[in-house]
Structure formats: structure tokens, C-alpha cells
Amino acid sequence: MKILFTLESFFPTHRAGTEVYVLNLCNYFKAKGHDVSVLITSSEGLKDYSYEGIPIHVFDIPKHAIAEELNGLMPPRGIEAFKVKLLELQPDLIHFHSFGRAINSYHLKEAKALGIRTVFTPHLGGTFCINGDMRLYGRENCNGEVIESRCLSCNLTQKGYSVGLSKVLGRVIKEATHFNPIKNKLPAAFSQAKHRFSELKRTDKYADVIFSIAPWIQKAFEANGIAKAKLIPQGISPVFFKAFHKTQFDPKLIKFIFIGRTHSSKGLHILRDAWNALSNPNAELHIITNPSGGEQTYYDDHKQWAQSKTNIIWNEALKQEEVASYLNGMDVLILPSISNEVAPLVILEAATRKIPVIASDYVAMKDLIQHDIDGLLFKNEDVDDLKNQIQKLIQAPKLIEKYSKAIKRAHSMWEISEMVQEEYSKL
């Protein structure tokens, strides 16, 4: 089978959870003898190249997006170049991973029109949420149902309007975008919730298979009336399942670890303030991170903070094998993410070492952690609550061993790839 995976960016220029997921799928299907390649976008004139023996094809998009394409009033520019690539590559099946500015359901529709089998796996909350954070009015987790007036209201509160006024304006804007005499004269941004709804409907119509990699994603698809979505587990790289030796737990010096990009959405500032507030830090904090584009000051500030503390160890740019080895000596993972998580790989990677997690009660984490059974949850963005959960384990280290015993086995990406292959074969 000739399989084409498509997403907006790929290794080596961009490396995050989605890229890792696709790379693992590529390696599996390549090992099974399939013809595998990847299609990405570039606004910098990047040419086709190869990564770890995988052909990476590139199509050009304009450097700067315009409001009309961002809000669905027109297909993304570059879609003609996308069609040219599909005609050149002639894949039997194309597997889309997340939709964004450069690749979305318009491309899915075009692939389907060419007779190509189509598959879609979302990796971002933006599939359902115009803010991208799945936080209803910034106060609670959202169920992901796209209700245009509610989405617009929620977006307005993020811009500083009161909830009451936002709800009124949301209803007015929604009606205006559906009123023929004026809808084409309104600011493009008014159509972003309408665009999100249309994206889901096109996805439902033109995707042969939709995969949900977390229960909350499956529930969100169901809330939007999309019945063809199939729930499969999230999977992690086989490297974490290789033979390893876990360091013996020492309750006199508990080793906490944060793994993630140095980006405000990952909540490192919440962890910093909580760590600073600990009354008796009989513990170490280890950080494994990478800088994140657009937040250089945030990165610099937190690196300087970490280096000023004797009980914090800062690590950068570790390879997966190095992360797996590092986890052997850790006791508790701290994941204080505020938003932009789907099914955090790092929780599952820690699970291979039976490492319990302290995480925010964001929707993606609540899928993976049972509070006070196999880990702890704290109220999203609540520094005091996070501090209390850390202190709880420092004062009662036996809880770490209790939670560790309750952690369920994680799935390898090889297992997940077998599930994906089974669905492919049905097409």
C-alpha cells in the first residue's frame, strides 16, 4: 500500500508530539513493507528531502496567512500546490494529522475527490475550540461541542469582555454571520466559530476513518454528532519499553521531574511559584525542556531561576533514549499544563517506570489520572493547590509507592500502529 502521512511540519525543523507520533507510524508501516512518505508545508522555499530514510515531500504556502483563510471564508492558499503533489505521488491512502492554518478539511475534501482513501487523527484541542485551550470562559473544562454563539462568547471573554456582555455579543455575532444581506461584509474573525463547525462537518463527510487518541476527544466528536470516530489508545515510542533498571526509591530525597517545552501553556511558571513556596523542600526538581518559539523571555527567565537553585537540575535537548534513561532515576512527574494538551505522551512514558504524576485537572489529564489512586490532580493554574500536592508527597512518601502500584500499563506505538493498520485494511 502507498501511504502518505500529511501534517504542517516535520523533523528535523519541528519536533513535538504530533511529529513523534507520525514518525512512529512511518517506521512501523515501512517495516511492514509499505511505501511510506510524508507531505508537509513550507513558507520558506524548503525542498523535498529525506529523514531517517523516509521521503518528505513539501508544498509551498504563502508566508503570511490572511484573515479570510484563517476563518474559513476561503480555502487555504497553497491548496493547488497540494493537489499537484497528490497527483504526482498518487497515494492509495492519505492520513491527515491535525488541521491548522495551512492544511485543513478543504484539503481532506480535495483528496477524497481524487479517489484517495482518507484518514484523520486530531492532536490539538483546536479541532473543537477556537481558543485552542478547551477552557469554557477560562473557568472550567469544555465538552468540545461547537455551539457557535457559546464559542464566540467564550472567545470574547478571553479578549477581556465580561462574561455577561460576551454572551449577548456572541448571540448577536452568530446571527449576523448567518444573515445573508450582511454576512459577507462582517470582519472575517466573526466567522471563526462558524468555520470550526463547518470544519467538523466536512471532516465527517470526507474522512473515511477518524481516530480519537483520547476519551475526551471521542466524547467531543460524539457531542458534535460525528459517529464515525473511533477511540484508540495513545501510544509511545518503543524506546521506553526497552530493558531498563529503575533506581531504588529513597524517601529521604524525592526526585520530581518536569518534562515539556518552556512555553507558558505548559505551566512551568505555576510550578516555579509552587516550588518556591515549599516550606521544607526535602526534594529535587529535575527539568527536561526545550525552548519554544515566540517565548524566549519566558525561557530565559525560567532557566535563570532554575540555575539559581541548588535543588533544581536543568536539562535541554535530550533525545528520547536519554529521556527514557533519565526517568529511571525519577520518582514523581509534575505536569502543570494550563492548556494545549490532548493525551500527554510524557504521562504514558512515565507510566512505563510506574512513576506517578501530579497534574492539573485540565481535561486531557483527567483522562489519564485518577486522583489519589494512581496520582494527584490540582486545580488548573492554582499555585497553592499544586504546592499542597507536592508537599503531601514529601510528607507522606509512602503514597508514591501506593500510586505507583495502581498505574496501568502504557501502550507502545507498535501496538497502536497495528490497530491503525487494521482500520486501513478495511478501506
Side-chain angles (χ1 to χ4, degrees):
M1 187 189 302
K2 195 170 186 180
I3 304 169
L4 180 64
F5 296 98
T6 187
L7 64 168
E8 292 193 352
S9 58
F10 199 62
F11 293 96
T13 56
H14 198 272
R15 52 182 69 226
T18 304
E19 287 76 17
V20 171
Y21 193 94
V22 172
L23 179 60
N24 279 312
L25 284 176
C26 287
N27 288 333
Y28 172 86
F29 283 100
K30 184 180 175 185
K32 293 292 182 179
H34 296 282
D35 183 344
V36 173
S37 60
V38 174
L39 179 61
I40 64 171
T41 68
S42 174
S43 61
E44 305 290 342
L46 182 68
K47 301 302 180 185
D48 294 353
Y49 63 99
S50 177
Y51 182 80
E52 294 188 0
I54 301 164
I56 313 299
H57 305 281
V58 185
F59 70 93
D60 292 327
I61 61 170
K63 189 161 191 150
H64 301 290
I66 59 175
E68 286 77 10
E69 60 184 326
L70 288 174
N71 295 290
L73 299 177
M74 60 178 284
R77 293 170 300 158
I79 196 168
E80 292 301 323
F82 169 79
K83 287 194 284 186
V84 168
K85 280 291 185 181
L86 289 191
L87 290 169
E88 172 191 326
L89 298 171
Q90 294 286 316
D92 300 308
L93 182 148
I94 182 169
H95 191 157
F96 292 84
H97 290 267
S98 290
F99 289 148
R101 169 235 162 160
I103 300 176
N104 62 23
S105 65
Y106 282 107
H107 298 75
L108 177 68
K109 180 181 178 181
E110 292 295 342
K112 186 68 176 174
L114 292 173
I116 303 168
R117 297 289 185 246
T118 54
V119 181
F120 175 56
T121 301
H123 299 260
L124 300 171
T127 301
F128 310 99
C129 176
I130 61 177
N131 295 333
D133 62 6
M134 297 295 294
R135 298 282 291 165
L136 187 58
Y137 300 116
R139 297 174 174 175
E140 58 186 298
N141 293 326
C142 181
N143 72 343
E145 182 181 2
V146 179
I147 303 170
E148 289 181 46
S149 59
R150 185 178 74 166
C151 294
L152 289 164
S153 300
C154 184
N155 180 251
L156 288 167
T157 61
Q158 194 180 69
K159 294 177 179 177
Y161 291 86
S162 69
V163 173
L165 179 58
S166 295
K167 288 182 177 181
V168 173
L169 291 174
R171 287 193 292 270
V172 171
I173 294 171
K174 184 263 181 180
E175 293 301 323
T177 59
H178 289 265
F179 187 52
N180 284 326
I182 63 169
K183 67 179 185 180
N184 293 327
K185 299 177 183 178
L186 297 171
F190 282 13
S191 296
Q192 55 188 322
K194 184 178 178 182
H195 174 43
R196 188 63 62 245
F197 184 80
S198 298
E199 280 276 276
L200 287 170
K201 293 307 172 187
R202 274 192 296 270
T203 301
D204 190 30
K205 184 174 182 179
Y206 298 111
D208 292 313
V209 175
I210 300 170
F211 289 119
S212 302
I213 59 173
W216 75 264
I217 296 178
Q218 181 70 10
K219 291 173 185 174
F221 274 127
E222 291 169 358
N224 287 286
I226 298 177
K228 66 171 62 172
K230 297 177 182 292
L231 177 62
I232 60 173
Q234 174 68 296
I236 56 176
S237 172
V239 71
F240 289 92
F241 294 91
K242 292 180 179 178
F244 61 89
H245 175 70
K246 185 83 166 64
T247 304
Q248 186 173 356
F249 175 57
D250 178 7
K252 295 179 182 178
L253 182 64
I254 299 173
K255 296 181 179 180
F256 295 87
I257 185 168
F258 166 92
I259 303 176
R261 291 178 294 120
T262 313
H263 187 280
S264 55
S265 68
K266 297 294 183 181
L268 186 53
H269 57 289
I270 306 294
L271 175 54
R272 177 197 61 199
D273 294 346
W275 192 261
N276 286 343
L278 289 173
S279 58
N280 182 27
N282 181 28
E284 288 179 347
L285 174 61
H286 296 250
I287 295 173
I288 296 178
T289 190
N290 287 303
S292 187
E295 297 218 359
Q296 188 63 41
T297 301
Y298 186 87
Y299 166 81
D300 291 339
D301 289 347
H302 285 83
K303 185 173 183 179
Q304 183 178 9
W305 161 72
Q307 292 178 336
S308 72
K309 300 285 187 179
T310 58
N311 62 352
I312 300 179
I313 296 89
W314 181 277
N315 302 273
E316 290 182 23
L318 298 190
K319 297 177 181 178
Q320 279 195 314
E321 292 81 359
E322 294 172 315
V323 174
S325 178
Y326 205 106
L327 282 172
N328 295 336
M330 298 295 105
D331 302 316
V332 180
L333 171 69
I334 302 179
L335 196 63
S337 298
I338 296 167
S339 60
N340 297 331
E341 298 282 8
V342 172
L345 293 172
V346 65
I347 292 179
L348 302 175
E349 291 164 358
T352 62
R353 271 72 178 158
K354 295 287 186 176
I355 297 173
V357 183
I358 300 175
S360 68
D361 63 358
Y362 183 64
V363 60
M365 268 71 94
K366 290 181 75 173
D367 268 352
L368 296 174
I369 299 166
Q370 301 174 81
H371 180 68
D372 205 30
I373 294 177
D374 57 7
L376 294 169
L377 295 170
F378 71 93
K379 185 173 175 56
N380 200 345
E381 296 190 74
D382 190 324
V383 171
D384 286 337
D385 197 7
L386 173 55
K387 178 204 74 174
N388 291 338
Q389 303 306 325
I390 297 172
Q391 196 75 53
K392 180 178 181 177
L393 296 185
I394 293 173
Q395 293 173 348
K398 287 187 177 180
L399 286 173
I400 296 173
E401 295 176 288
K402 172 193 168 186
Y403 299 155
S404 179
K405 291 176 182 177
I407 293 173
K408 295 177 181 176
R409 178 185 174 278
H411 293 275
S412 164
M413 268 304 297
W414 241 237
E415 296 174 79
I416 306 308
S417 298
E418 288 176 356
M419 297 177 193
V420 171
Q421 179 175 253
E422 184 178 344
E423 294 302 324
Y424 283 1
S425 67
K426 294 176 183 177
L427 301 179

